[in-house]
């Protein structure tokens, strides 16, 4: 019973400190949390928590503050996550319902996640090993210029302007568009290449079909590296008082390399993961906490998203938000 009560005291300290940013004393816990014991008993429990390295006293006569180890015990013992509010859920669902391509989904979602958590949000773009064609469009942009637009089954949109072609006939363009879609729909660049090579060899060279075919195949090749979208850096700057030195964290967010390495180290099936302070494998994040999750269709590309903030974080709310947004994104990609 005493061990469970000490965990209750730890939960109370974390909750109060996250809310007030002030060291927490036994009297505050006794008044605000119905633990059924006196302030003296709570003080004894706090002394034992301090001996265990879960809390510390920042200065004489002050209350107690959680350590990274204390936050870890708190996160590991979370019995429930705070659900997103109904307006927050509706905002995410409404946004995804009217989104038309993956770029719009990722950039909008990262802003929503930053607003909901009031932290820095990061969303990684899915980078499938092999992209499959949903549709190709060709738009005439002027004399001798075409815009080739490729839409993949994962919702990625790639486009490129092709120049230096002969004058183009609208009927030829319509025929070319139809032939390319018939030959490539649902296929990867490697799978569609034989049919497209044959099409390029047979078609009139004045339309520039070989150039368009090579452009399509090039746009369909897998991306060379991951891309990430970031929002809410101002949230971190406003909470600079929670860091001894915020500069390394801001540098890591600006350069993005640390974040891409962090995502690369994650297990895609791990669910929501929390790394706190020194648990982070990268020195730049040694003063921060990172809450990460994975999203994607079960049979398609997988990617990660997460939240970066101070260790003084509302973990239950943040973990719930990351989990919910990952689920919404997964459903979007599945459909």
């Amino acid at each position: 019973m005493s061990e469970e009560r000490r965990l209750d005291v730890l939960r109370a300290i974390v909750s109060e400190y996250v809310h007030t940013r002030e060291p927490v004393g036994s009297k505050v816990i006794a008044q605000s949390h119905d633990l059924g014991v006196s302030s003296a008993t709570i003080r004894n429990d706090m002394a034992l928590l301090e001996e265990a390295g879960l809390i510390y006293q920042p200065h004489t006569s002050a209350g107690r503050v959680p350590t990274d180890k204390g936050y870890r015990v708190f996160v590991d013992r979370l019995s429930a996550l705070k659900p997103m509010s109904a307006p927050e859920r509706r905002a995410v669902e409404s946004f995804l319902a009217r989104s038309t391509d993956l770029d719009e989904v990722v950039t909008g979602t990262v802003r929503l996640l930053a607003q909901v958590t009031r932290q820095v949000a990061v969303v990684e773009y899915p980078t499938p090993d092999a992209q499959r064609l949903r549709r190709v469009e060709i738009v005439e942009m002027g004399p001798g210029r075409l815009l080739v637009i490729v839409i993949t089954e994962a919702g990625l949109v790639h486009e490129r302007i092709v120049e230096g072609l002969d004058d183009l006939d609208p009927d030829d363009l319509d025929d070319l568009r139809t032939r390319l879609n018939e030959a490539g729909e649902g296929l990867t660049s490697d799978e569609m290449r034989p049919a497209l090579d044959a099409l390029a060899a047979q078609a009139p060279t004045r339309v520039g079909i070989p150039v368009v075919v090579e452009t399509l195949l090039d746009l369909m090749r897998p991306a060379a590296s991951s891309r990430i979208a970031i929002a809410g850096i101002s949230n971190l700057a406003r909470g600079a008082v929670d860091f001894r030195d915020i500069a390394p964290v801001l540098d890591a967010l600006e350069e993005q390399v640390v974040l891409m390495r962090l995502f690369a180290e994650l297990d895609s099936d791990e669910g929501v993961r929390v790394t706190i302070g020194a648990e982070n494998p990268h020195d730049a994040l040694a003063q921060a906490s990172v809450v990460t999750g994975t999203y994607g269709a079960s049979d398609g590309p997988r990617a990660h998203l997460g939240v970066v903030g101070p260790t003084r974080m509302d973990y239950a709310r943040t973990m719930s938000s990351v989990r919910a947004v990952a689920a919404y994104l997964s459903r979007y990609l599945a459909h």
Side-chain angles (χ1 to χ4, degrees), residues 54 56 58 93 100 107 114 119 126 136 156 175 206-207 209 232 249-250 268 302 307-308 324:
L54 303 182
Y56 72 98
E93 292 171 346
T100 58
T107 56
Q119 306 289 356
V136 58
L156 296 171
D175 181 64
R206 68 182 177 84
V207 183
I209 288 183
V249 184
L250 293 174
S268 293
R302 308 285 284 175
V307 166
V308 180

Short mmCIF file of all heavy atoms in Angstrom, two decimals, residues 54 56 58 93 100 107 114 119 126 136 156 175 206-207 209 232 249-250 268 302 307-308 324:
data_model
loop_
_atom_site.label_atom_id
_atom_site.label_comp_id
_atom_site.label_asym_id
_atom_site.label_seq_id
_atom_site.Cartn_x
_atom_site.Cartn_y
_atom_site.Cartn_z
N LEU A 54 13.77 10.02 -7.92
CA LEU A 54 12.61 10.32 -8.75
C LEU A 54 12.19 11.78 -8.66
O LEU A 54 11.51 12.28 -9.57
CB LEU A 54 11.43 9.43 -8.35
CG LEU A 54 11.68 7.91 -8.42
CD1 LEU A 54 10.42 7.15 -8.03
CD2 LEU A 54 12.13 7.51 -9.82
N TYR A 56 13.60 15.86 -6.90
CA TYR A 56 14.71 16.55 -6.22
C TYR A 56 14.23 17.92 -5.75
O TYR A 56 13.18 18.42 -6.19
CB TYR A 56 15.92 16.68 -7.14
CG TYR A 56 15.76 17.70 -8.26
CD1 TYR A 56 16.27 18.99 -8.15
CD2 TYR A 56 15.09 17.36 -9.44
CE1 TYR A 56 16.12 19.92 -9.17
CE2 TYR A 56 14.95 18.27 -10.46
CZ TYR A 56 15.46 19.55 -10.33
OH TYR A 56 15.31 20.47 -11.34
N PRO A 58 15.08 21.74 -5.78
CA PRO A 58 15.95 22.68 -6.50
C PRO A 58 16.70 23.64 -5.59
O PRO A 58 17.80 24.08 -5.94
CB PRO A 58 14.98 23.42 -7.44
CG PRO A 58 13.63 23.24 -6.84
CD PRO A 58 13.66 21.90 -6.15
N GLU A 93 -10.50 15.33 -38.28
CA GLU A 93 -11.32 14.58 -39.24
C GLU A 93 -11.77 15.47 -40.40
O GLU A 93 -11.74 15.06 -41.56
CB GLU A 93 -12.53 13.98 -38.52
CG GLU A 93 -12.16 12.88 -37.54
CD GLU A 93 -13.35 12.46 -36.67
OE1 GLU A 93 -14.37 13.22 -36.68
OE2 GLU A 93 -13.28 11.42 -36.02
N THR A 100 -6.63 16.77 -50.49
CA THR A 100 -6.61 16.13 -51.80
C THR A 100 -5.31 15.42 -52.13
O THR A 100 -5.28 14.58 -53.02
CB THR A 100 -6.89 17.17 -52.90
OG1 THR A 100 -5.90 18.22 -52.81
CG2 THR A 100 -8.28 17.77 -52.73
N THR A 107 1.40 18.73 -44.28
CA THR A 107 1.62 20.09 -43.79
C THR A 107 0.48 20.55 -42.91
O THR A 107 0.69 21.25 -41.91
CB THR A 107 1.80 21.07 -44.97
OG1 THR A 107 0.66 20.98 -45.84
CG2 THR A 107 3.05 20.75 -45.76
N ALA A 114 0.70 20.47 -33.66
CA ALA A 114 1.37 21.50 -32.87
C ALA A 114 0.37 22.32 -32.06
O ALA A 114 0.61 22.67 -30.90
CB ALA A 114 2.19 22.41 -33.79
N GLN A 119 3.22 22.06 -28.52
CA GLN A 119 4.64 21.73 -28.57
C GLN A 119 5.10 21.78 -30.03
O GLN A 119 4.33 22.14 -30.92
CB GLN A 119 4.89 20.32 -28.00
CG GLN A 119 4.36 20.07 -26.61
CD GLN A 119 5.12 20.81 -25.52
OE1 GLN A 119 6.13 21.48 -25.77
NE2 GLN A 119 4.62 20.73 -24.29
N PRO A 126 5.74 9.60 -45.88
CA PRO A 126 5.99 8.19 -46.24
C PRO A 126 6.92 8.13 -47.45
O PRO A 126 6.79 8.91 -48.39
CB PRO A 126 4.59 7.66 -46.61
CG PRO A 126 3.63 8.65 -46.04
CD PRO A 126 4.32 9.97 -46.04
N VAL A 136 -1.48 9.69 -64.36
CA VAL A 136 -0.57 10.70 -64.90
C VAL A 136 -1.40 11.69 -65.71
O VAL A 136 -2.33 11.32 -66.44
CB VAL A 136 0.53 10.06 -65.77
CG1 VAL A 136 -0.04 9.25 -66.92
CG2 VAL A 136 1.48 11.13 -66.31
N LEU A 156 1.09 10.67 -53.13
CA LEU A 156 2.15 11.62 -53.45
C LEU A 156 1.91 12.23 -54.82
O LEU A 156 1.44 11.55 -55.74
CB LEU A 156 3.51 10.92 -53.43
CG LEU A 156 3.96 10.36 -52.07
CD1 LEU A 156 5.21 9.51 -52.26
CD2 LEU A 156 4.24 11.49 -51.10
N ASP A 175 -4.35 11.33 -76.60
CA ASP A 175 -4.03 9.93 -76.88
C ASP A 175 -2.86 9.46 -76.01
O ASP A 175 -2.88 8.35 -75.47
CB ASP A 175 -3.70 9.76 -78.36
CG ASP A 175 -3.38 8.30 -78.71
OD1 ASP A 175 -4.29 7.45 -78.57
OD2 ASP A 175 -2.22 8.03 -79.07
N ARG A 206 7.47 13.50 -83.04
CA ARG A 206 7.21 14.94 -82.99
C ARG A 206 6.46 15.35 -81.73
O ARG A 206 6.48 16.50 -81.32
CB ARG A 206 6.43 15.36 -84.23
CG ARG A 206 5.02 14.83 -84.30
CD ARG A 206 4.33 15.27 -85.58
NE ARG A 206 2.99 14.72 -85.71
CZ ARG A 206 1.92 15.27 -85.16
NH1 ARG A 206 2.04 16.37 -84.44
NH2 ARG A 206 0.72 14.73 -85.32
N VAL A 207 5.76 14.40 -81.08
CA VAL A 207 5.05 14.72 -79.84
C VAL A 207 6.00 14.72 -78.66
O VAL A 207 5.68 15.18 -77.58
CB VAL A 207 3.90 13.71 -79.64
CG1 VAL A 207 3.09 14.04 -78.39
CG2 VAL A 207 2.99 13.70 -80.86
N ILE A 209 7.22 11.96 -77.19
CA ILE A 209 6.81 10.90 -76.27
C ILE A 209 7.99 10.28 -75.52
O ILE A 209 7.89 10.03 -74.31
CB ILE A 209 5.98 9.84 -77.00
CG1 ILE A 209 4.60 10.43 -77.34
CG2 ILE A 209 5.83 8.58 -76.16
CD1 ILE A 209 3.66 9.47 -78.01
N GLY A 232 5.31 24.64 -35.05
CA GLY A 232 5.22 24.92 -33.62
C GLY A 232 6.53 25.24 -32.93
O GLY A 232 6.61 25.15 -31.69
N VAL A 249 18.59 22.40 -28.95
CA VAL A 249 17.31 21.85 -29.41
C VAL A 249 16.84 22.58 -30.66
O VAL A 249 16.41 21.96 -31.64
CB VAL A 249 16.24 21.94 -28.30
CG1 VAL A 249 14.95 21.28 -28.75
CG2 VAL A 249 16.75 21.29 -27.02
N LEU A 250 16.93 23.91 -30.65
CA LEU A 250 16.52 24.69 -31.81
C LEU A 250 17.40 24.37 -33.02
O LEU A 250 16.91 24.27 -34.16
CB LEU A 250 16.58 26.18 -31.49
CG LEU A 250 15.57 26.68 -30.45
CD1 LEU A 250 15.82 28.15 -30.12
CD2 LEU A 250 14.14 26.50 -30.94
N SER A 268 8.78 0.24 -36.36
CA SER A 268 7.51 0.65 -36.95
C SER A 268 6.30 0.09 -36.20
O SER A 268 5.20 0.62 -36.31
CB SER A 268 7.45 0.21 -38.42
OG SER A 268 8.39 0.92 -39.17
N ARG A 302 5.14 3.11 -44.43
CA ARG A 302 5.00 3.51 -43.04
C ARG A 302 5.91 4.72 -42.79
O ARG A 302 6.96 4.85 -43.40
CB ARG A 302 5.42 2.36 -42.10
CG ARG A 302 4.74 1.03 -42.38
CD ARG A 302 3.31 1.02 -41.92
NE ARG A 302 3.23 0.88 -40.47
CZ ARG A 302 2.09 0.94 -39.80
NH1 ARG A 302 0.94 1.17 -40.44
NH2 ARG A 302 2.06 0.78 -38.50
N VAL A 307 6.24 14.58 -31.32
CA VAL A 307 6.19 15.88 -30.64
C VAL A 307 7.47 16.02 -29.83
O VAL A 307 7.91 15.07 -29.17
CB VAL A 307 4.95 15.96 -29.72
CG1 VAL A 307 5.05 17.14 -28.77
CG2 VAL A 307 3.68 16.05 -30.55
N VAL A 308 8.08 17.21 -29.91
CA VAL A 308 9.29 17.52 -29.15
C VAL A 308 8.96 18.67 -28.21
O VAL A 308 8.39 19.68 -28.62
CB VAL A 308 10.45 17.92 -30.08
CG1 VAL A 308 11.70 18.25 -29.26
CG2 VAL A 308 10.74 16.83 -31.10
N ALA A 324 -3.77 9.38 -31.60
CA ALA A 324 -4.99 9.64 -32.36
C ALA A 324 -4.68 10.17 -33.75
O ALA A 324 -5.27 9.72 -34.75
CB ALA A 324 -5.87 10.65 -31.60
#
